[in-house]
Amino acid sequence: YTCGTNPYVYNAEDDQYLWQHRKIAESVLGRVLTYNEVVHHVDGNPRNNMVDNLWIMPRRQHGRLHLVLRTERVIFEESKNENPANCWDALRDQKTTTWLETAGVAVTKLSDIR
């Protein structure tokens, strides 16, 4: 179930709408996520809730990561590459991993837990 124009998937339980990606992360971790823990969709697709696409990271660094990725994408698209969307999809994971390592951000890859 999606809510309005929000692309994230919800689960309806007990008259509450729960973010599916957070519910999956909590199930894998065996605990409730804190407010400061964000579930990041590695491929940028908020509907892809496969475990190998979900990483947990601090809220503050998640916002910074998306700022960096937006900036990098604008620079990339201005380079007049013939197929910027496909090329960006191929680079997104690399740019994400490089920034996280450079910034020293600890992430939990749900696929490493299972």
Side-chain angles (χ1 to χ4, degrees):
Y1 172 78
T2 56
C3 186
T5 59
N6 189 325
Y8 292 91
V9 180
Y10 290 88
N11 288 336
E13 287 185 8
D14 301 325
D15 296 325
Q16 294 181 17
Y17 289 100
L18 305 172
W19 301 94
Q20 189 179 68
H21 57 287
R22 288 185 68 86
K23 186 166 180 63
I24 291 167
E26 290 174 347
S27 175
V28 171
L29 290 171
R31 65 174 176 81
V32 175
L33 292 170
T34 68
Y35 171 79
N36 287 319
E37 291 176 306
V38 173
V39 181
H40 174 70
H41 291 85
V42 179
D43 70 358
N45 178 359
R47 297 183 63 92
N48 179 2
N49 290 321
M50 300 298 293
V51 172
D52 61 347
N53 189 49
L54 302 176
W55 293 358
I56 299 167
M57 60 188 303
R59 182 171 300 279
R60 185 172 182 186
Q61 281 79 11
H62 184 250
R64 289 180 179 168
L65 171 62
H66 277 278
L67 177 62
V68 167
L69 291 175
R70 276 192 300 274
T71 303
E72 290 281 339
R73 185 172 186 161
V74 167
I75 292 168
F76 183 75
E77 288 177 350
E78 289 176 351
S79 71
K80 304 297 183 203
N81 188 297
E82 288 183 21
N83 195 344
N86 285 343
C87 291
W88 176 250
D89 287 344
L91 287 173
R92 182 189 303 109
D93 292 355
Q94 178 185 357
K95 296 282 186 183
T96 299
T97 302
T98 300
W99 184 83
L100 291 169
E101 289 174 357
T102 303
V105 178
V107 298
T108 301
K109 298 177 182 180
L110 293 182
S111 60
D112 290 348
I113 295 172
R114 280 200 159 170

